[in-house]
């Protein structure tokens, strides 16, 4: 992967390449590298427990979790944290 330019749409190319080297998919690497505050990551998960199922579902919809309509709140939280 080193030496390949992921394109102008990637905001943090170094982070993108590091994630690809770790085995992350192109889509997930791009999403993380382009996310707001990517350069300030602390590895802290959102407090989904304090949100309603509808709020957690909306977040899952925003990031494109498949099968979310049949998931419980607990399953949605797990999918968001491991996606």
């Amino acid at each position: 992967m080193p030496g390949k330019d992921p394109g102008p749409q990637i905001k943090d190319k170094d982070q993108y390449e590091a994630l690809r080297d770790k085995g992350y998919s192109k889509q997930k690497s791009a999403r993380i590298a382009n996310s707001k505050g990517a350069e300030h990551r602390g590895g802290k998960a959102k407090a989904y427990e304090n949100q309603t199922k509808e709020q957690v579902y909306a977040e899952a919809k925003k990031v494109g979790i498949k099968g979310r309509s049949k998931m419980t709140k607990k399953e949605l939280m797990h999918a968001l944290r491991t996606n």
Side-chain angles (χ1 to χ4, degrees):
M1 288 300 266
K4 282 193 169 186
D5 186 4
Q9 69 277 16
I10 304 298
K11 293 179 184 175
D12 187 339
K13 293 179 182 184
D14 291 333
Q15 183 179 31
Y16 174 86
E17 291 298 332
L19 291 167
R20 290 293 292 144
D21 290 343
K22 286 184 177 181
Y24 285 75
S25 70
K26 290 179 182 179
Q27 293 83 8
K28 187 169 185 179
S29 298
R31 187 170 60 242
I32 293 169
N34 289 339
S35 68
K36 185 176 180 182
E39 65 278 357
H40 301 294
R41 292 214 171 269
K44 212 173 191 184
K46 289 185 180 178
Y48 295 120
E49 290 80 7
N50 298 331
Q51 298 180 20
T52 66
K53 180 182 178 184
E54 290 75 23
Q55 291 170 314
V56 177
Y57 178 88
E59 186 69 23
K61 184 176 182 181
K62 189 166 71 171
V63 298
I65 303 292
K66 302 241 187 272
R68 64 187 174 270
S69 64
K70 295 181 176 148
M71 292 183 184
T72 64
K73 180 180 174 183
K74 187 175 182 178
E75 290 168 330
L76 287 166
M77 291 186 310
H78 177 74
L80 284 164
R81 289 181 173 146
T82 59
N83 183 28

